[in-house]
Amino acid sequence: MSSTKTADSAFWEAANDHLIRYGGNFLPLIIERAKGVYMYDADGAPIIDFTSGQMSSVLGHGHPEIVATIHEYADKLDHLFSGMLSRPVVELAKRLTDLMPEGLDKVQLLSTGGESNECALRIAKLYTGKFEIVGLSSSWHGVTQGAASTTYQTTRRNYGPAAPGSLVLPAPNAFRSPFRHPDGSYDWKTELDYGFSLIDAQSVGSLAAVIVEPILSSGGVIVLPPGYLLRLKEHCVRRGMLLIVDEAQTGMGRTGKLWAFEHDGVVPDILTLSKTLGAGLPLSATITSKHIEETIYARGFSFYTTHVSDPMPAAVGLKVLDIVLRDKLPAKAEHLGNMFQDFLRGLQAKYQCIGDVRGQGLMVGLEIVKDRVSREPDEELGILLGDKMLELGLSANVMRLKGTGSVFRMAPPLTITEDETKQGLEIIEKAFEACVKV
């Protein structure tokens, strides 16, 4: 056996012996390095990254300006006592709010998406004096108690009670919803209104907030219909609830606008950012109004964490903002996203197993079904296609959790070129040619 194969065997033996398996099985490859839109395995083979790592690396891997910023702050100012402030933290808070509409004025910088959502939920409960939180079915907001309680996927099972007052609305899945107009088109307004009638029936009179993703990524790349956030905000106002928008994956230009809530012209009461804000580094933000912040401060708000207001991630966030705006990445995401979906719809015309193509900007979903009449998810084929794409040099994440419909969720770095995008799309086509009979 070669020394490389021996080393690989030792690697997997150590992995199997010492790692907790936290989300199914690990993919059977070792990633040694990554640069730009490419990852490289132990054999040096390039793999195009169509998921931006964990849907985070909007600038690709190893962006030279991000690397330089990390080097500078690792040497100069990395971490502080949580009650101390530094210039990058205050500057990032100012830059973010300068880019927001009025009503998103105050920022708390944290580490992960779950942490920023947990913070948002605590703010909502303290501000309103109520405790019931409404989420969308198929949502994903994190794994800490409050965030996990508003995450409606199979991962809820077997951990005991969720937080009291956790209520759910139907996710607006245009491909699968039974709510239809007489002409067969999707009637999301009636669905949403009916969902709130059920919320009202279940509520004990303590509705604090609704939390939603503009695109339910882990739930199958379900894009909220145009006008949905506006109507949702109206329902919230009538009930004295706050609207929390979780832009972990959609922020920083991915949908064609800097913030996805801009598509509906709605200002959330609380906005959370993560993943894309740090371009792969652990950085998140919870943003709300001056009025809400002043109210909760007077009531003794506390969300004190080890890495709150850390200077090094904040400096990285500033640089990410600089690059996204300077290089006009939101407009690029819109252009490449249109090209991306047009290509997939061309495949859909050829392959009956492609049930739906959906997305916004450079966040694209591809749903695999057994047939378009029953729309039954074909998880087996989805996994087969995903494995073939990986073999051909493309990482395109297929949702392997039962009940997700075998949906590929693809979100390449916004720095990807048109040629690199086409290269990845060609691999998708080759995988279908190899795995599916026409």
Side-chain angles (χ1 to χ4, degrees):
M1 183 181 289
S2 69
S3 58
T4 301
K5 293 298 181 184
T6 301
D8 289 357
S9 297
F11 173 92
W12 289 113
E13 183 178 347
N16 291 331
D17 285 348
H18 302 295
L19 292 180
I20 293 174
R21 288 163 289 184
Y22 46 80
N25 295 321
F26 297 108
L27 291 174
L29 75 165
I30 304 170
I31 300 299
E32 298 285 7
R33 62 189 181 91
K35 190 69 176 177
V37 301
Y38 294 95
M39 304 175 290
Y40 298 86
D41 68 11
D43 296 321
I47 301 167
I48 300 173
D49 185 0
F50 258 24
T51 67
S52 298
Q54 187 58 37
M55 322 302 281
S56 303
S57 300
V58 288
L59 304 181
H61 300 281
H63 191 288
E65 292 176 74
I66 300 300
V67 171
T69 301
I70 293 170
H71 283 177
E72 178 186 355
Y73 276 85
D75 178 61
K76 183 170 74 174
L77 187 60
D78 54 359
H79 168 72
L80 293 170
F81 169 66
S82 296
M84 293 179 175
L85 291 177
S86 61
R87 295 186 188 280
V89 167
V90 175
E91 187 176 349
L92 179 56
K94 184 179 185 305
R95 287 287 304 282
L96 283 171
T97 56
D98 284 348
L99 293 165
M100 302 283 176
E102 185 178 354
L104 292 171
D105 320 301
K106 303 275 274 189
V107 179
Q108 182 168 357
L109 296 178
L110 298 157
S111 297
T112 67
E115 195 175 41
S116 64
N117 288 331
E118 202 75 34
C119 179
L121 296 173
R122 286 172 71 93
I123 289 172
K125 290 177 180 180
L126 184 60
Y127 176 75
T128 62
K130 298 183 282 189
F131 71 92
E132 291 176 316
I133 303 295
V134 177
L136 296 180
S137 64
S138 304
S139 59
W140 183 285
H141 296 292
V143 296
T144 51
Q145 176 68 359
S149 294
T150 62
T151 294
Y152 293 95
Q153 296 198 17
T154 56
T155 51
R156 289 177 70 84
R157 295 184 176 88
N158 303 319
Y159 300 102
S166 299
L167 306 174
V168 65
L169 286 168
N173 188 337
F175 184 62
R176 297 192 171 278
S177 174
F179 285 81
R180 300 286 163 183
H181 293 291
D183 65 359
S185 60
Y186 178 37
D187 184 3
W188 63 265
K189 291 180 182 178
T190 299
E191 181 180 52
L192 179 58
D193 294 347
Y194 178 70
F196 263 103
S197 74
L198 297 181
I199 294 296
D200 290 338
Q202 297 172 74
S203 172
V204 297
S206 191
L207 291 169
V210 174
I211 182 169
V212 295
E213 306 156 86
I215 301 177
L216 285 77
S217 174
S218 295
V221 193
I222 299 168
V223 184
L224 300 187
Y228 189 93
L229 275 179
L230 181 61
R231 197 173 186 90
L232 188 59
K233 182 69 178 285
E234 291 170 353
H235 276 289
C236 289
V237 170
R238 285 202 294 270
R239 292 164 177 81
M241 306 170 71
L242 300 187
L243 175 62
I244 304 169
V245 174
D246 174 2
E247 293 222 29
Q249 298 187 27
T250 56
M252 305 301 288
R254 179 164 293 288
T255 67
K257 292 186 180 293
L258 193 56
W259 321 116
F261 69 79
E262 294 179 294
H263 289 285
D264 260 14
V266 172
V267 181
D269 298 293
I270 307 174
L271 174 70
T272 64
L273 305 173
S274 54
K275 289 183 183 288
T276 57
L277 180 61
L281 270 73
L283 174 65
S284 64
T286 304
I287 308 172
T288 192
S289 70
K290 289 180 180 178
H291 172 69
I292 291 175
E293 191 275 339
E294 288 168 356
T295 302
I296 62 171
Y297 174 75
R299 294 176 182 173
F301 175 68
S302 176
F303 198 83
Y304 202 91
T305 77
T306 301
H307 294 287
V308 65
S309 295
D310 260 358
M312 185 170 75
V316 169
L318 277 167
K319 184 56 67 175
V320 174
L321 268 178
D322 286 343
I323 296 167
V324 167
L325 295 171
R326 180 195 70 200
D327 295 347
K328 299 179 174 59
L329 295 185
K332 182 179 179 184
E334 182 178 18
H335 167 68
L336 290 180
N338 289 336
M339 184 184 83
F340 204 121
Q341 288 199 49
D342 286 346
F343 183 91
L344 294 182
R345 289 198 175 92
L347 284 184
Q348 185 181 27
K350 183 177 181 181
Y351 294 101
Q352 292 297 307
C353 63
I354 299 178
D356 196 26
V357 175
R358 52 185 178 257
Q360 194 171 51
L362 268 181
M363 180 173 279
V364 181
L366 180 71
E367 183 159 359
I368 307 301
V369 296
K370 292 186 177 179
D371 63 79
R372 292 185 193 164
V373 177
S374 71
R375 301 187 179 187
E376 182 181 351
D378 196 338
E379 183 175 321
E380 184 178 345
L381 178 56
I383 292 172
L384 182 66
L385 285 163
D387 289 345
K388 175 56 71 173
M389 291 175 199
L390 194 58
E391 177 187 321
L392 295 171
L394 177 74
S395 174
N397 181 281
V398 63
M399 297 302 297
R400 298 179 185 228
L401 295 174
K402 189 173 180 59
T404 57
S406 295
V407 179
F408 284 87
R409 54 173 186 156
M410 294 173 280
L414 305 190
T415 52
I416 195 169
T417 66
E418 194 164 310
D419 286 343
E420 289 166 340
T421 304
K422 289 177 179 177
Q423 184 182 353
L425 294 174
E426 287 168 4
I427 290 175
I428 292 175
E429 184 172 27
K430 289 177 182 177
F432 274 91
E433 290 171 351
C435 298
V436 182
K437 293 182 180 179
V438 178

